[in-house]
């Protein structure tokens, strides 16, 4: 038994060492090695500035703690761990690559696949640049923990917080693998963090203190038994690594052995673009484009992050309910997802312009698929805003009415922008064109109109009419445009088809 364990660990260590050496020498084999070598110094400089910025935030957090006397230093910090986990999770969305993608170049190597997967997971854990958020605990520990608890507790506190950051890294690895396997797993972190942030918010008074006290129990446990607490964290890390390894191996084996005939017929054959194709095929095509291409995927992720941020900003009550600032937060949270994605319609499609104009109903079905997907994603900020009505004095019917107004009226104006999108946007490569060369000024004007005018209109209507009247007007206008969305989407698509030569010329010129 001991010899088998030693042999297994030796094989794992060998695989880990080979992959680390390969990673170190891989960049030297690149054609643009010199350019990458100089670019790394700027990346390292960026990490230094980010580290310093997070340390500055930690100093500010220390001064905030001195103004809060209801909880001690340890309970205060541990009570904010769910928020720290959310911020760290969002920061990782643009920095990772799936393990199932990394393992593919090593399929023909003599190394075992499980050893390769586990080695990549261990590399991500040992990579310090991936733990930049650990800087948040260093100044706070020296300013608040050291004077009160001493050096030993400070060291254990920093070790515990570093393990927490590692746990968050493994948790993100697990989500990223599941999301690449099935896009529906995108709802997993949303449900997780919404539940974590709302579980203790039952009263409207002292929300922050109640939140900190609820999760700060872990800080009290750490003070009482620090070594046992750290040992429990290590056991959780081992459990998550085992789960992540199992999931990555299962996903990778599934990708190698699954029957791709159905997907090939859907994506590769022309029947998916024919005029008689059902709408769900075009929704699948849109999802396929987002999941396989970097720029559309990043745009959706960033728009969802912005939407969540502004939805959370609306939680805090203002001086007066339905004020311009609060209406702007709500408007931005609900509109930003559809605006950023629908306004780019026909820009990404310029990469395959010969196909979209060859089939008669492609543009109409494609626009309807985009419209339905973005209307569905509106559930994310709407859910947060509905939960926030407990504290910001905004009615539930107003949030629902404004969401319907956005899906109907505002999405109509956003889709009108497709008539002016005649420039191709790369699906994966970065846009390196000069500053204002490709600026769409119509898009800028419509953005100002859609983000500011409705907020001003609602604020004025609230002052001159009742809340019920405002909600009825928003709901009726939204429902009318939603009920007639097939008509105005058909009108926009017909206009594009009638001017398809102009669009093709613009797409070809901007490639």
């Amino acid at each position: 038994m001991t010899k088998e364990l030693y042999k297994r660990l030796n094989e794992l260590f060998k695989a880990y060492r080979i992959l680390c050496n390969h990673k170190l020498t891989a960049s030297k084999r690149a054609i643009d090695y010199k350019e990458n070598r100089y670019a790394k110094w700027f990346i390292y400089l960026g990490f230094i500035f980010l580290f310093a910025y997070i340390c500055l935030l930690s100093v500010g957090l220390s001064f905030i703690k001195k103004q809060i006397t209801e909880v001690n230093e340890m309970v205060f910090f541990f009570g904010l761990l769910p928020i720290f986990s959310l911020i760290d999770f969002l920061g990782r969305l643009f920095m990772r690559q799936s393990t199932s993608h990394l393992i593919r170049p090593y399929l023909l190597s003599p190394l075992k696949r499980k050893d390769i997967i586990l080695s990549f997971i261990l590399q991500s854990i040992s990579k310090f640049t991936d733990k930049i958020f650990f800087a948040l605990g260093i100044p706070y520990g020296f300013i608040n923990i050291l004077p009160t608890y001493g050096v030993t507790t400070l060291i254990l506190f920093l070790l515990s917080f570093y393990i927490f950051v590692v746990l968050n890294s493994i948790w993100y690895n697990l989500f990223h693998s599941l999301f690449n396997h099935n896009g529906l797993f995108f709802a997993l972190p949303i449900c997780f963090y919404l539940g974590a942030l709302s579980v203790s918010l039952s009263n409207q008074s002292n929300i922050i203190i109640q939140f900190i006290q609820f999760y700060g129990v872990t800080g009290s446990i750490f003070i009482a038994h620090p070594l046992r607490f750290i040992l429990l964290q290590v056991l959780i890390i081992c459990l998550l690594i085992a789960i992540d390894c199992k999931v990555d191996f299962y996903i990778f084996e599934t990708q190698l052995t699954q029957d791709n005939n159905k997907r090939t017929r859907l994506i590769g054959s022309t029947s998916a673009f024919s005029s008689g194709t059902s709408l769900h095929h075009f929704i699948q095509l849109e999802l396929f484009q987002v999941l396989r291409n970097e720029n559309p995927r990043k745009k959706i992720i960033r728009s969802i992050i912005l939407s969540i941020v502004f939805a959370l900003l609306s939680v805090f009550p203002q001086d007066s309910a339905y004020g311009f600032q609060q209406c702007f937060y709500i408007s931005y949270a609900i509109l930003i997802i559809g605006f950023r994605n629908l306004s780019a319609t026909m820009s990404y499609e310029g990469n395959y312009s010969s196909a979209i104009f060859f089939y008669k109903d492609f543009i109409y079905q494609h626009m309807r698929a985009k419209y339905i997907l973005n209307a569905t994603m509106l559930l994310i900020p709407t859910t947060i805003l509905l939960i926030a009505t407990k504290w910001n004095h905004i009615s539930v019917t107003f949030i629902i009415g404004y969401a319907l107004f956005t899906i109907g009226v505002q999405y109509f104006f956003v889709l009108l922008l497709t008539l002016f999108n005649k420039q191709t946007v790369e699906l994966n490569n970065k846009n390196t064109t000069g500053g204002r060369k490709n600026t769409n000024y119509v898009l800028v004007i419509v953005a100002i109109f859609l983000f500011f005018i409705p907020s001003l209109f609602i604020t004025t209507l609230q002052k001159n009419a009742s809340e019920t009247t405002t909600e009825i007007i928003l709901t009726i206008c939204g429902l009318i445009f939603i009920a007639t969305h097939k008509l105005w989407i058909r009108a926009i698509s017909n206009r594009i088809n009638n001017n398809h030569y102009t669009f093709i010329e613009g797409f070809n010129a901007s490639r």
Side-chain angles (χ1 to χ4, degrees):
M1 184 68 181
T2 306
K3 292 183 178 180
E4 292 179 359
L5 179 61
Y6 176 78
K7 181 180 179 181
R8 187 73 185 88
L9 291 176
N10 189 33
E11 291 177 354
L12 178 61
F13 176 75
K14 180 180 178 181
Y16 180 82
R17 186 181 60 185
I18 291 174
L19 293 177
C20 288
N21 290 334
H22 181 269
K23 187 176 180 180
L24 291 174
T25 57
S27 60
K28 296 182 179 180
R29 294 193 295 267
I31 299 177
D32 52 352
Y33 167 68
K34 292 184 178 180
E35 291 80 359
N36 291 337
R37 184 178 58 181
Y38 295 123
K40 285 182 180 180
W41 289 104
F42 290 98
I43 295 175
Y44 295 148
L45 184 63
F47 274 114
I48 292 173
F49 277 108
L50 181 60
F51 187 89
Y53 181 75
I54 295 177
C55 288
L56 185 63
L57 292 179
S58 179
V59 174
L61 189 67
S62 302
F63 289 114
I64 292 175
K65 166 59 194 75
K66 293 182 179 180
Q67 299 177 0
I68 300 176
T69 58
E70 289 84 353
V71 293
N72 59 44
E73 291 81 1
M74 202 71 73
V75 172
F76 176 79
F77 191 86
F78 277 80
L80 295 175
L81 286 184
I83 299 177
F84 297 157
S85 176
L86 175 60
I87 297 173
D88 188 28
F89 185 90
L90 294 176
R92 297 175 188 273
L93 289 174
F94 316 105
M95 300 171 59
R96 286 294 183 86
Q97 195 173 9
S98 176
T99 306
S100 60
H101 292 165
L102 294 173
I103 192 178
R104 289 183 181 276
Y106 301 96
L107 276 177
L108 300 179
S109 66
L111 302 176
K112 295 182 179 180
R113 294 173 183 174
K114 289 186 177 180
D115 292 343
I116 298 174
I117 292 175
L118 186 56
S119 298
F120 280 125
I121 295 174
L122 294 176
Q123 283 183 15
S124 66
I125 294 175
S126 60
K127 187 178 180 181
F128 185 76
T129 54
D130 196 35
K131 313 298 181 299
I132 197 73
F133 199 75
F134 173 69
L136 189 67
I138 299 176
Y140 183 89
F142 280 96
I143 296 174
N144 294 88
I145 305 299
L146 181 61
T148 306
Y149 298 97
V151 178
T152 304
T153 306
L154 171 63
I155 296 174
L156 294 175
F157 165 78
L158 293 177
L159 178 60
S160 176
F161 184 61
Y162 183 80
I163 295 175
F164 167 78
V165 178
V166 173
L167 281 171
N168 215 47
S169 175
I170 301 173
W171 148 240
Y172 179 80
N173 276 341
L174 181 60
F175 155 73
H176 198 262
S177 299
L178 292 172
F179 176 69
N180 281 320
H181 181 63
N182 192 332
L184 296 177
F185 280 102
F186 189 79
L188 177 62
I190 296 174
C191 297
F192 176 79
Y193 285 112
L194 283 180
L197 296 177
S198 62
V199 67
S200 64
L201 305 180
S202 57
N203 299 321
Q204 294 188 9
S205 59
N206 296 326
I207 299 173
I208 299 177
I209 300 300
Q210 183 185 359
F211 182 86
I212 293 174
Q213 289 176 344
F214 183 86
Y215 289 104
V217 176
T218 55
S220 302
I221 297 174
F222 175 81
I223 296 174
H225 308 285
L227 295 178
R228 294 180 182 178
F229 187 87
I230 293 175
L231 180 60
L232 179 62
Q233 287 182 303
V234 173
L235 292 177
I236 296 175
I237 283 181
C238 296
L239 179 62
L240 283 179
I241 289 176
I243 295 174
D244 192 10
C245 187
K246 289 286 186 181
V247 170
D248 284 335
F249 184 76
Y250 169 77
I251 292 174
F252 182 70
E253 290 293 323
T254 303
Q255 291 175 350
L256 290 180
T257 58
Q258 68 181 354
D259 184 11
N260 293 321
N261 292 333
K262 184 177 179 181
R263 181 179 296 181
T264 304
R265 288 197 301 268
L266 173 63
I267 303 300
S269 65
T270 58
S271 62
F273 304 100
S274 62
S275 58
T277 306
S278 58
L279 179 64
H280 77 275
H281 284 174
F282 285 87
I283 294 177
Q284 290 177 341
L285 284 171
E286 181 63 22
L287 290 173
F288 184 79
Q289 175 179 281
V290 172
L291 294 175
R292 291 296 301 271
N293 298 288
E294 182 180 4
N295 289 339
R297 183 172 64 250
K298 283 187 175 181
K299 176 170 283 191
I300 288 180
I301 292 174
R302 288 169 180 170
S303 62
I304 291 176
I305 293 173
L306 286 173
S307 177
I308 293 174
V309 169
F310 276 88
L312 293 175
L313 287 175
S314 69
V315 172
F316 302 100
Q318 308 296 327
D319 297 334
S320 60
Y322 301 98
F324 177 80
Q325 184 177 3
Q326 200 163 42
C327 289
F328 177 76
Y329 288 156
I330 295 172
S331 173
Y332 202 102
I334 294 178
L335 179 61
I336 187 62
I337 295 178
F339 180 81
R340 284 179 60 88
N341 300 316
L342 291 177
S343 63
T345 306
M346 298 302 295
S347 296
Y348 294 124
E349 288 74 9
N351 293 280
Y352 44 90
S353 57
S354 58
I356 64 177
F357 291 110
F358 185 79
Y359 302 98
K360 181 179 179 181
D361 283 343
F362 178 87
I363 295 177
Y364 168 72
Q365 296 283 8
H366 188 61
M367 291 178 69
R368 277 199 66 200
K370 279 181 172 289
Y371 176 80
I372 293 174
L373 282 176
N374 284 273
T376 304
M377 286 191 291
L378 208 64
L379 291 173
I380 299 173
T382 304
T383 303
I384 301 176
L385 291 171
L386 288 175
I387 297 174
T389 55
K390 295 182 179 180
W391 307 284
N392 58 12
H393 309 298
I394 301 294
S395 66
V396 174
T397 52
F398 175 78
I399 300 298
I400 296 175
Y402 198 88
L404 294 174
F405 178 79
T406 299
I407 296 174
V409 179
Q410 293 186 289
Y411 278 12
F412 164 72
F413 286 102
V414 173
L415 281 174
L416 282 177
L417 293 173
T418 57
L419 299 175
F420 304 95
N421 291 338
K422 301 175 183 177
Q423 291 182 332
T424 302
V425 176
E426 294 287 345
L427 290 169
N428 291 288
N429 298 330
K430 294 183 178 180
N431 184 15
T432 57
T433 54
R436 301 180 182 177
K437 181 178 179 180
N438 292 332
T439 302
N440 191 339
Y441 294 100
V442 176
L443 180 64
V444 176
I445 295 173
V446 173
I448 296 173
F449 174 80
L450 291 178
F451 282 109
F452 288 96
I453 299 301
S455 302
L456 187 62
F457 170 73
I458 292 172
T459 305
T460 306
L461 193 61
Q462 287 284 354
K463 292 180 179 179
N464 299 298
S466 63
E467 296 180 8
T468 306
T469 304
T470 305
E471 294 163 1
I472 291 174
I473 292 175
L474 292 175
T475 304
I476 291 176
C477 292
L479 290 176
I480 291 174
F481 275 81
I482 292 173
T484 59
H485 78 277
K486 292 183 180 179
L487 299 177
W488 47 264
I489 289 179
R490 174 70 71 180
I492 295 173
S493 62
N494 289 339
R495 181 67 179 237
I496 294 174
N497 284 322
N498 294 335
N499 297 277
H500 63 277
Y501 288 115
T502 306
F503 280 88
I504 292 175
E505 183 180 357
F507 292 149
N508 294 335
S510 55
R511 285 182 181 176

